[in-house]
């Protein structure tokens, strides 16, 4: 029995999504309206803010579950302890958030490689990551929705578990290969279909030259980041479904972990630059 059936909690999904979109609009439209390099202090402040928001939501979610479960006739008829279920919900969100936060560290190394390969100035990196995170939220939502449907079949759990084990073994024993974004098949196909400029044109992703639209290196960097996030999501989403079978918890914990990814990147990048000085 699902504690948060979509038919009863669709409004929660909608309200949470609108809240996240409002945060993103405030981030890009107010605090980062003007392109600039994110300093260490600014990144540290935003890192604290995103973690604090996640923890505040965790506590609020627990209190809401405690209140809601106490008046839920379905749980009462099934003999489910409301207080214990609420504590379990809060613990599952926190565990999922920590797991996703840990797994997302891989994305940070991809950011470093991609920005270096395409020579993206520090002032434009936040813009790319903003739209990269926005795209990641969309794809994660799709994966979570598909996963919630598949999780109704018990054998899918064993399939996901086996996939995670094989992925871990591959990472452990497979020889390391340097990441070459320009040799990615999707990037190569995109270059054949859409002309790409060799130079940057400010913070624009597309520019019109000689009557034709051209993509800029900034868009290639964004495209590659989106592709790698899809690959990482194939591992991380099943990992959280191993913790909880509630899609609402998987969705909210994923979103909060992804929201703080940009600030974490700039925090580590700023720390690295300080160490080299």
């Amino acid at each position: 029995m699902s504690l948060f059936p979509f038919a009863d909690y669709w409004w929660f999904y909608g309200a949470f999504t609108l809240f996240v979109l409002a945060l993103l609009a405030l981030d890009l439209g107010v605090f980062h309206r003007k392109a600039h390099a994110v300093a260490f202090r600014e990144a540290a402040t935003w890192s604290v803010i995103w973690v604090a928001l996640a923890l505040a939501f965790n506590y609020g979610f627990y209190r809401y579950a405690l209140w809601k479960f106490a008046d839920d006739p379905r749980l009462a008829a099934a003999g489910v302890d409301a207080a214990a279920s609420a504590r379990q919900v809060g613990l599952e969100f926190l565990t999922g958030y920590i797991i996703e936060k840990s797994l997302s560290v891989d994305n940070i190394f991809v950011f470093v490689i991609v920005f270096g390969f395409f020579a993206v100035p520090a002032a434009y990196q936040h813009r790319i990551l903003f739209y990269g995170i926005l795209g990641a939220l969309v794809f994660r939502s799709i994966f979570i929705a598909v996963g919630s449907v598949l999780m109704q079949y018990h054998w899918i759990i064993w399939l996901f578990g086996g996939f995670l084990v094989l992925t871990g073994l591959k990472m452990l024993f497979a020889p390391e290969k340097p990441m070459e974004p320009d040799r990615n098949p999707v990037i190569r196909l995109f270059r054949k279909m859409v002309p790409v400029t060799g130079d940057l044109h400010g913070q624009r992703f597309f520019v019109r030259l000689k009557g034709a639209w051209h993509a800029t290196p900034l868009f290639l960097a964004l495209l590659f980041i989106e592709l790698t996030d899809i690959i990482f999501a194939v591992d991380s989403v099943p990992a959280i479904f191993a913790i909880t079978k509630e899609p609402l918890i998987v969705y909210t914990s994923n979103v909060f972990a992804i929201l703080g990814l940009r600030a974490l990147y700039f925090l580590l990048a700023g720390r690295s630059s300080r160490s080299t000085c």
Side-chain angles (χ1 to χ4, degrees):
M1 180 179 60
S2 175
L3 297 175
F4 303 101
F6 183 80
D8 296 334
Y9 288 88
W10 60 267
W11 62 269
F12 197 108
Y13 284 92
F16 179 77
T17 302
L18 290 176
F19 171 69
V20 171
L21 293 177
L23 289 178
L24 291 175
L26 184 66
D27 183 7
L28 186 65
V30 178
F31 295 104
H32 296 94
R33 186 173 184 178
K34 183 178 180 181
H36 65 278
V38 179
F40 177 82
R41 184 185 297 273
E42 181 182 358
T45 301
W46 276 106
S47 294
V48 172
I49 290 175
W50 290 122
V51 172
L53 282 174
L55 295 179
F57 176 84
N58 189 17
Y59 179 73
F61 192 40
Y62 158 73
R63 299 297 302 181
Y64 171 78
L66 186 63
W67 166 74
K68 190 67 176 179
F69 292 168
D71 297 329
D72 194 329
R74 297 182 308 120
L75 301 183
V80 177
D81 185 278
S85 297
R87 288 193 297 270
Q88 182 67 22
V89 163
L91 182 60
E92 288 179 356
F93 174 88
L94 182 60
T95 304
Y97 173 73
I98 294 175
I99 289 177
E100 179 59 31
K101 196 77 169 177
S102 302
L103 293 176
S104 64
V105 173
D106 289 341
N107 296 62
I108 294 178
F109 295 105
V110 173
F111 298 162
V112 174
I113 294 174
V114 171
F115 289 152
F117 182 87
F118 291 104
V120 178
Y124 302 148
Q125 292 178 6
H126 181 274
R127 177 177 173 83
I128 292 177
L129 292 182
F130 174 87
Y131 288 104
I133 296 302
L134 193 61
L137 294 177
V138 174
F139 287 115
R140 295 295 177 97
S141 300
I142 296 174
F143 285 160
I144 292 170
V146 173
S148 64
V149 174
L150 295 178
M151 288 296 289
Q152 298 178 17
Y153 305 96
H154 186 72
W155 61 270
I156 290 293
I157 300 177
W158 292 96
L159 181 62
F160 281 168
F163 178 78
L164 291 176
V165 171
L166 291 177
T167 302
L169 292 176
K170 182 179 178 181
M171 294 176 61
L172 183 62
F173 295 106
E176 294 186 8
K177 296 181 180 180
M179 184 177 294
E180 299 176 324
D182 216 32
R183 298 187 63 180
N184 181 277
V186 177
I187 298 296
R188 295 172 66 178
L189 177 62
F190 181 82
R191 282 184 175 274
K192 291 180 180 180
M193 298 176 61
V194 180
V196 180
T197 64
D199 302 321
L200 298 176
H201 291 265
Q203 60 178 355
R204 300 174 65 182
F205 292 123
F206 290 91
V207 63
R208 192 173 181 87
L209 299 174
K210 297 180 180 180
W213 285 102
H214 291 64
T216 68
L218 292 188
F219 184 80
L220 289 184
L222 173 61
L223 178 60
F224 190 81
I225 286 176
E226 291 289 1
L227 293 174
T228 53
D229 183 75
I230 292 175
I231 296 174
F232 288 143
V234 175
D235 293 337
S236 62
V237 172
I240 299 184
F241 268 115
I243 302 299
T244 177
K245 295 181 178 61
E246 296 294 337
L248 182 59
I249 298 177
V250 178
Y251 176 62
T252 52
S253 61
N254 250 268
V255 168
F256 271 112
I258 294 174
L259 286 176
L261 190 57
R262 291 165 302 157
L264 182 60
Y265 162 74
F266 288 115
L267 181 65
L268 296 179
R271 182 62 182 176
S272 177
S273 62
R274 282 189 169 192
S275 300
T276 56
C277 294

